[in-house]
Amino acid sequence: MLNDDWKPSETSAIPLYKQIAQFIKEKISSGEWTIGTKLPTQREFAEILEVNRSTVITALEDLKAEGLIEGKNSGGTVVVNNTWSLLNNSRTPKWEGYIERGIYKPNLSTIQMINKLEFKNGIIRLGTGEVSPSLYPKQAMKKILHKVSNNLESMGYEQPKGSIKLRGAISEYVKKFGIKTSPEAVLIVSGSLQALQLLSMGILPKASTIITEKPSYLKSLHIFQSEGMKLKGIGMDEHGINVNELRNSINKSTKLLYTIPTFHNPTGILQTEERRDEVLNLCREKRLPIIEDDAYRELWLEEKPPMPLKSKDKDGMVLYIGTVSKCLAAGMRIGWIVGPEAVIDRLADIKMQADYGSSSISQAVLSEFIESGLYEKYIEKLRNNLVVRRNITIEILEKYFKHIAQWNVPKGGFYIWLKLKKHISIDLLFKMCCEEGILINPGSIYDFVKNSNIRISYSYADIKELESALKRLSEIVIEITART
Amino acid sequence: MLNDDWKPSETSAIPLYKQIAQFIKEKISSGEWTIGTKLPTQREFAEILEVNRSTVITALEDLKAEGLIEGKNSGGTVVVNNTWSLLNNSRTPKWEGYIERGIYKPNLSTIQMINKLEFKNGIIRLGTGEVSPSLYPKQAMKKILHKVSNNLESMGYEQPKGSIKLRGAISEYVKKFGIKTSPEAVLIVSGSLQALQLLSMGILPKASTIITEKPSYLKSLHIFQSEGMKLKGIGMDEHGINVNELRNSINKSTKLLYTIPTFHNPTGILQTEERRDEVLNLCREKRLPIIEDDAYRELWLEEKPPMPLKSKDKDGMVLYIGTVSKCLAAGMRIGWIVGPEAVIDRLADIKMQADYGSSSISQAVLSEFIESGLYEKYIEKLRNNLVVRRNITIEILEKYFKHIAQWNVPKGGFYIWLKLKKHISIDLLFKMCCEEGILINPGSIYDFVKNSNIRISYSYADIKELESALKRLSEIVIEITART
């Protein structure tokens, strides 16, 4: 609420408390803080505005006297009038009611906190599934942006399925992975998250069940649940999803398998070739369509992973999702879906209703990046960096977590799925870490059951920070374990 | 289906018909054309592949012999097997069922056709609500892209509400229109269409009724209806929405007024200051929140329009939507919502679930464009161009439509709402125009009742084309009128 950087001026002729009162008054009179809005605490005000608490108290007293705010017994101070409503007999719409009754569920509160804290200065992000800004290909991107800026003749809406240049580049690019497709069967989306949203709106009836790995990235989202669908989790072993359990779970309401066979999020597991065949055969037998999320494929470390399920799909049974968010730039917001043309057409129509297509600049930049060969070169370099990062992280874990946790050594992707040996409250761990400026992704947000896992990402934080933060994390774990 | 640019090679040793059969086989075996897919007609094949129809027939016969396709009695040829299913006993998922049962409604078929035809070579777009590519500020954009490319240090996810730089720029920018807001109460979205989608998912219960002008741009969308809500249209006069009718329409299920007071789409009507006050007072009295869509504000021609409703909103009653799609570049996919912080927070959370934010490049480019002052300069020039275009278009109408239609002279925006004097089938008109390479936006897609209107846009087509296409349109209208 107080992120505007505004501070009262020490050199002004107007007393500090009056400046503060005026500032709050403007927030209220502009309708930004509506009636019913809870104000920050006196302590928070004092901290953020860098003034004494007594100054804040005086300012608030002034506003109370004007009838704009009221202290409630429960402790908070609340906006009860606005300047307008004092003059007239006006009544603000009750936005709270609107917000609560909306169709979409809010994000999990932990995820809301993570989304927010990621932008806090100085916080060390141990769970972030992104490439570190220090690995961003600044020079290559500069070159591409210059080229694009020289060629850009206009910037209108793109075709419903996305820019034909980019779709052409993608259909060439996925050939590397054994996927044959024409640009007509490719849909450009704003990241793979949007792919899932379009699928939830476009091709599934309300009472559907979607099957996925347990744990799964999908569980941390509300996309399908908000549209009235259910998620069902299937256990995994080191070769991937458990096929027998999968077979037994399929029934009439099962409409889709969502799977991340390659460097799974959050466990890092790489599905074997054999397991892939088993999954494909079972789904073919049961006529169960598959969404294959292949976000991490390019991030193999020592050797290439098996080809995607889509490469063996002769029946148009697999919808394949790719993205550059993980290996190049999340801020580009570009992903793609490859699938049967009729499904792609339907999803393109839904996309036109959702946002009229993805950013033309992003699409132009990415086509150029891929076609110029710079993308390939950049990824090779990135892989080398990630090998180093993974190795160092594993060493750090050996050093500090040997007695308190178990983990996998991932062959690609970003994630180590750290399982604590003793059960402790991960919520408490999350909070205590936050207080010390360390942001972790608790395993609970990905799982169907309570667990004692943490998703550690070796891709984002600086290497030095990785060591200090992981060390501190181990100490906090031991501290909490001792308490319980 | 056949947009890949592939043609059989005349110089190849392989006969043409075999090349074509192989091409189709690949489409089928890759799962791009699934079982059940209807093939193009022989005529279409021949035309697109630039071969004789007999060559096509031979190719199709080959595939029939292989059991891959079948001619149905109803005329079409359909994929009945894929190479895989001939070998194994495989069964493709029935995608058609999935597509039909999805939650979201498909776009109106006319709109799907428009979306597609807009990219057909040589078609004259008489209805397109975009600035002509010839007016695109190429040099200014080049400058900005260079600057951005030099400064871009990374390209990660942005904050949930959007880049703080752009939110800062927007909160400065809307001051021009009397809107006071901090960056905290601004949400960056991927165009104003996405704003509406987030609102439909985030703040409204299923059985809501949304009130809007009759006709309205909103009626051409399915966003609210797909989420189980109803639209109710309120008539307009030359001063804007009819306030008495509005008063009588508000009941318990009415949750929102969606309105375009400034250069309304599709009628071009500019709401007067007085009418704005009446609408605001009524909504305040009834506690009915307002979505004010202000996409066309900057496109005034002779004089500035009255300030937005939001500028007089002291209760946080108005959610204000702005965009650069209409005045700068639709392909940028950037818009914004200004409103009470609690509502903006909620919508930001939904946006994080929909696509994790809008393109970082687009956001960086737009911040720079606005802050550098180039945006302001560009718009001034654009206005001068639009005045010329509007005047010419009105002259053309005077020349050819005097006896067959009525129209308004818009004071801003893009649109002339052409009302035909005699009722004819606008569907037929649409089709006949399409056949002659003229794309019109039939009024029916915006209206709640049958009408004989056409939305003419003077912003997109080349000026020369405007004249030839409007002339031809008048002739076709007369032709159809004579028939009926």
Side-chain angles (χ1 to χ4, degrees), chain A residues 439-451:
Chain A
L439 189 58
I440 60 168
N441 281 32
S444 52
I445 59 182
Y446 306 105
D447 216 341
F448 292 76
V449 288
K450 270 211 162 189
N451 69 25

Side-chain angles (χ1 to χ4, degrees), chain A residues 235-362:
Chain A
M236 303 176 80
D237 59 30
E238 53 180 358
H239 298 155
I241 196 166
N242 185 315
V243 175
N244 277 336
E245 201 182 324
L246 177 58
R247 175 180 294 276
N248 295 333
S249 299
I250 299 173
N251 60 36
K252 262 179 114 177
S253 69
T254 315
K255 296 296 179 199
L256 213 56
L257 168 64
Y258 168 88
T259 181
I260 311 177
T262 307
F263 313 130
H264 176 259
N265 179 3
T267 65
I269 290 171
L270 174 62
Q271 193 169 47
T272 57
E273 179 104 41
E274 201 189 338
R275 186 63 58 87
R276 284 171 200 241
D277 289 339
E278 287 170 26
V279 170
L280 264 177
N281 285 336
L282 174 61
C283 288
R284 193 177 291 125
E285 181 196 325
K286 299 285 190 185
R287 296 180 95 157
L288 184 67
I290 299 173
I291 302 178
E292 177 177 25
D293 187 342
D294 212 21
Y296 301 92
R297 162 159 305 274
E298 287 280 29
L299 303 167
W300 49 270
L301 299 178
E302 280 90 7
E303 59 177 327
K304 284 190 185 176
M307 290 287 173
L309 301 173
K310 182 68 187 165
S311 69
K312 297 184 180 178
D313 173 30
K314 305 294 174 197
D315 312 284
M317 201 172 72
V318 180
L319 294 178
Y320 177 84
I321 305 180
T323 173
V324 293
S325 299
K326 295 302 167 184
C327 37
L328 176 59
M332 197 162 264
R333 308 312 306 124
I334 298 289
W336 48 89
I337 313 178
V338 179
E341 207 175 313
V343 180
I344 294 298
D345 283 346
R346 163 74 174 158
L347 295 174
D349 183 55
I350 306 285
K351 169 125 173 99
M352 288 301 275
Q353 297 189 51
D355 63 7
Y356 277 135
S358 300
S359 158
S360 299
I361 317 185
S362 285

Side-chain angles (χ1 to χ4, degrees), chain B residues 10-76:
Chain B
E10 304 253 3
T11 56
S12 160
I14 305 163
L16 289 176
Y17 82 91
K18 279 223 166 151
Q19 293 181 49
I20 295 172
Q22 190 54 35
F23 170 75
I24 296 174
K25 219 163 156 178
E26 277 171 20
K27 289 272 184 195
I28 296 172
S29 70
S30 70
E32 210 172 301
W33 291 357
T34 49
I35 293 175
T37 300
K38 209 176 150 192
L39 297 191
T41 62
Q42 297 171 356
R43 216 186 68 187
E44 285 165 345
F45 265 124
E47 201 173 290
I48 296 166
L49 303 179
E50 294 168 6
V51 294
N52 292 327
R53 207 163 139 192
S54 61
T55 312
V56 174
I57 292 173
T58 318
L60 294 178
E61 286 304 324
D62 249 34
L63 295 169
K64 275 182 199 159
E66 286 193 50
L68 291 173
I69 61 173
E70 249 175 38
K72 296 253 163 155
N73 286 336
S74 50

Side-chain angles (χ1 to χ4, degrees), chain A residues 32 90-91 95 98 104-105 107 138 150 153 155 182 201 255 315-316 331 346 349 353 359-360 362, chain B residues 4 32 90 95 98 104-105 107 138 153 155 182 201 255 285 315-316 331 346 349 353 359-360 362:
Chain A
E32 210 171 302
S90 126
R91 299 179 297 172
W95 282 114
Y98 279 75
Y104 246 59
K105 294 188 184 187
N107 255 317
K138 200 184 160 186
N150 291 336
E153 290 298 328
M155 215 193 278
S182 75
M201 300 191 305
K255 296 296 179 199
D315 312 284
R346 163 74 174 158
D349 183 55
Q353 297 189 51
S359 158
S360 299
S362 285
Chain B
D4 328 37
E32 210 172 301
S90 126
W95 282 115
Y98 279 75
Y104 246 60
K105 294 188 183 188
N107 254 318
K138 200 185 160 186
E153 289 299 328
M155 214 193 279
S182 75
M201 300 191 304
K255 297 294 180 200
E285 179 196 324
D315 312 283
R346 164 74 175 159
D349 182 56
Q353 298 189 52
S359 158
S360 299
S362 285

Side-chain angles (χ1 to χ4, degrees), chain B residues 126 397 400-401 404 418 420 424 429-430 432-433 436 438-441 454-456 466-480:
Chain B
L126 275 189
L397 292 179
Y400 300 110
F401 285 84
I404 54 173
L418 196 69
L420 301 180
I424 61 167
L429 181 66
F430 177 74
M432 286 179 67
C433 284
E436 305 212 15
I438 299 171
L439 189 58
I440 60 168
N441 281 30
I454 306 164
R455 187 185 84 174
I456 300 291
L466 267 177
E467 167 130 30
S468 67
L470 281 170
K471 176 166 183 273
R472 188 63 198 125
L473 175 64
S474 73
E475 291 161 3
I476 300 174
V477 169
I478 291 169
E479 213 178 302
I480 298 177

Side-chain angles (χ1 to χ4, degrees), chain B residues 401-431:
Chain B
F401 285 84
K402 210 170 178 177
H403 303 294
I404 54 173
Q406 292 172 316
W407 59 87
N408 58 315
V409 178
K411 294 177 180 157
F414 295 157
Y415 307 122
I416 296 171
W417 189 233
L418 196 69
K419 187 177 170 51
L420 301 180
K421 288 185 178 168
K422 292 221 168 125
H423 182 78
I424 61 167
S425 162
I426 301 283
D427 278 354
L428 180 61
L429 181 66
F430 177 74
K431 273 179 207 147

Side-chain angles (χ1 to χ4, degrees), chain A residues 155-204:
Chain A
M155 215 193 278
Y157 293 106
E158 300 288 344
Q159 292 189 24
K161 292 181 190 172
S163 113
I164 181 68
K165 192 164 187 289
L166 181 56
R167 285 188 287 131
I170 296 296
S171 62
E172 269 305 306
Y173 170 71
V174 296
K175 273 189 193 160
K176 274 187 20 181
F177 317 137
I179 297 173
K180 271 192 75 173
T181 179
S182 75
E184 284 308 297
V186 175
L187 174 67
I188 303 301
V189 290
S190 302
S192 43
L193 182 65
Q194 188 181 51
L196 298 178
Q197 212 215 9
L198 297 176
L199 288 164
S200 82
M201 300 191 305
I203 66 161
L204 291 172

